[in-house]
Each structure stands twice: as structure tokens, then as C-alpha cells.
Amino acid sequence: MLGSLRRFFGFDSVEEDELEPVTALASGSSHSGAFRVGEKLSIKGEIVGEGDLELAGRFEGIVNVNGRVFVGERAEVDADISASNIVVGGKVRGNLNATGRVEILPQGILTGNLKSGSFAAADGALVKGEIVVDRGRGRVEVGGGQP
């Protein structure tokens, strides 16, 4: 499905090496293999498939991927998101469902419910909604620093 999105936006004529690298949002890791919705794009719809996704612009709809989803600092997302792992650095209005971990970065804002195996919210993060953590698969961490 992500391949068809790339073709839809005209990326099929661009060599993979020429695509803009994805900015790392957490843990200093690089997500260069992720499909990226750029900061100047506004998209409504449904994204379904396998692979990583970075949302840096505006998105409204549904995201259901077997991979990681990264919401950039300047992103504004009105969507329900289901993925393996989710990192929120911008504004998300919607429900999150991760089989693995959900992280809310210091500048991240989540308005909606989340369900995951593990959850972490950094100092400064804002979360308004219900949080359900399956303790059999993970643990809850609140705060970014050591006491």
C-alpha cells in the first residue's frame, strides 16, 4: 500500500537514494526507510500497510500500519493510529493503539485514548484521555528524567 502512495505522489520516478532522509525523532535513531508526509502537505484519507511512516504535516483520517509511526514536532494529526510503535512529537487528536510502545515527546500533545504494551511521557508532554497499558507486555513510565 505504501508503494501505491509513493506512486500517487509521484515518487515512483525518483530513485530510493534520492528521497529526503527522515529526521530522527526519538532515541537518536534514523528512520530513513519510512514513508514521509512532508511538513507542507495536508492529506485526508486512510493509510494502511506495512512499513514505517512519518507524519510531518497535516493528516486527517485513519492510520493502520504494521510498523512504526512518527508524528513530527510541527505535525497536526486528527486520526486514529494503529501501529507497532508510535512516537508523538506534535499534536494528535485521536485514539492510539500500539502492540508495542507509545512515546509522547516533551513537545507532544495527545488528546485521545491510548492502548499499548508500554507507555512513556516525557516531562512537558500533554496527554488528555484514558491510558490502558497491558502490563503483561510492558510497563508505564511517566517523566523524562531520573529523580
Side-chain angles (χ1 to χ4, degrees), residues 38-55:
E39 291 180 19
K40 296 182 180 180
L41 291 175
S42 180
I43 298 175
K44 290 183 181 183
E46 184 174 356
I47 298 175
V48 179
E50 293 188 21
D52 295 343
L53 172 67
E54 180 185 356
L55 300 171

Side-chain angles (χ1 to χ4, degrees), residues 2 5-6 9 11 19-26 29-43 47 50-59 63 65 67-77 81 83 85-90 92 105 107:
L2 292 179
L5 276 173
R6 285 179 184 229
F9 288 109
F11 293 127
L19 291 175
E20 181 181 339
V22 176
T23 306
L25 292 177
S29 60
S30 175
H31 309 291
S32 60
F35 179 77
R36 184 171 198 269
V37 175
E39 291 180 19
K40 296 182 180 180
L41 291 175
S42 180
I43 298 175
I47 298 175
E50 293 188 21
D52 295 343
L53 172 67
E54 180 185 356
L55 300 171
R58 292 185 52 79
F59 180 79
V63 175
V65 297
R68 301 181 77 179
V69 174
F70 309 94
V71 178
E73 282 185 34
R74 296 182 184 158
E76 293 188 26
V77 177
I81 301 173
N85 296 296
I86 304 168
V87 177
V88 176
V92 175
L105 300 179
Q107 65 280 11

Side-chain angles (χ1 to χ4, degrees), residues 80-81 86 88 92 94-104 109-121 126-134 137 139-141:
D80 289 339
I81 301 173
I86 304 168
V88 176
V92 175
N95 299 317
L96 306 183
N97 187 356
T99 55
R101 182 176 182 84
V102 172
E103 285 185 65
I104 312 296
I109 299 171
L110 170 64
T111 304
N113 300 327
L114 76 84
K115 182 177 180 181
S116 70
S118 175
F119 171 72
L126 299 175
V127 179
K128 183 176 182 181
E130 182 178 327
I131 299 170
V132 177
V133 177
D134 182 348
R137 296 187 313 187
R139 61 193 175 120
V140 176
E141 297 176 30

